[in-house]
Amino acid sequence: MSSPSIVRADFEITLHRTGVVELLDMYASEPLQGGQPLDRETRSRLIPGLAAQANGRYFLAMDSDQPVGVAICFIGFSTFRALPLLNVHDLAVRRDFRGLGVGTQLLSAAEQEAIQLGCCKLTLEVQHENVNARRLYERIGFDSGGPAGADSSFMTKSLC
C-alpha cells in the first residue's frame, strides 16, 4: 500500500463529492460520533452546503483513485490575537488506512494552508474517549490547555 496523496477537494469532481459524503457518513456511523449514518436529506445538502462556505477548506487523502481520508476545515478568527485561525472541524480516515499516517498527512495539509493564510493557530475538538485521535493530535503538537494552563472543553447546544 503506497502513501496516499493529499489533494484539495474539488466539488466539481464527482469522485471528490462522493468521497467526502461517504467518508463523513462512515465517520458519523462510528460509536464515538453517535453511531448513526447521515440521513438522506443531510447527504443531499452536504456538498452544496460545504461548497457555499467561503471560509471552508477541504482536503482529501487519495489512494490511487480512492478517497481514504478527509479533513473539513473552516477559517475562523481569534479575538485574542486579532488574526485568523483554522479549525479542523472533521477529520476522518477509512478504517483500513488508520495507523498509516493518513491523519498526519491531512493535518499537515491543514497546517500548511493555515500558514499560507496567516493564521495564528489550528484548532480542533476531540472527544476525551477518542484516545487514538488524542494521541495523534498530541504527537503533532496540539494540547488541550487554555492560556492559563486549564483544560478546555468543547460544548454544544443543539438547535435542530
Side-chain angles (χ1 to χ4, degrees):
M1 199 178 303
S2 63
S3 181
S5 60
I6 306 300
V7 299
R8 195 80 174 267
D10 179 348
F11 296 139
E12 297 297 315
I13 300 172
T14 301
L15 181 63
H16 288 197
R17 290 191 309 266
T18 59
V20 168
V21 172
E22 289 171 4
L23 286 161
L24 289 175
D25 185 59
M26 174 213 67
Y27 181 51
S29 297
E30 294 185 355
L32 281 175
Q33 303 307 321
Q36 296 295 317
L38 302 176
D39 62 49
R40 177 186 280 169
E41 187 175 324
T42 300
R43 290 174 66 97
S44 70
R45 287 192 322 251
L46 184 58
I47 297 303
L50 289 173
Q53 303 303 309
N55 64 337
R57 299 296 186 271
Y58 316 115
F59 303 94
L60 282 170
M62 302 293 293
D63 183 53
S64 297
D65 64 348
Q66 271 310 315
V68 298
V70 64
I72 305 292
C73 306
F74 297 102
I75 301 166
F77 188 76
S78 169
T79 54
F80 292 157
R81 300 281 304 275
L83 291 168
L85 60 84
L86 190 66
N87 177 260
V88 181
H89 188 70
D90 295 301
L91 181 72
V93 175
R94 235 176 57 188
R95 287 175 197 87
D96 53 331
F97 277 81
R98 292 180 185 165
L100 302 175
V102 176
T104 300
Q105 287 180 274
L106 286 163
L107 289 168
S108 179
E111 182 175 345
Q112 290 306 307
E113 180 73 10
I115 290 168
Q116 288 177 351
L117 293 167
C119 294
C120 63
K121 63 182 172 179
L122 281 174
T123 62
L124 55 78
E125 67 179 272
V126 61
Q127 292 185 9
H128 185 72
E129 298 82 17
N130 196 342
V131 175
N132 291 334
R134 283 192 7 251
R135 284 186 187 139
L136 165 64
Y137 303 148
E138 290 168 355
R139 183 173 48 78
I140 63 172
F142 284 86
D143 68 42
S144 61
D151 280 344
S152 300
S153 293
F154 184 84
M155 299 173 73
T156 64
K157 178 179 180 181
S158 185
L159 300 176
C160 60

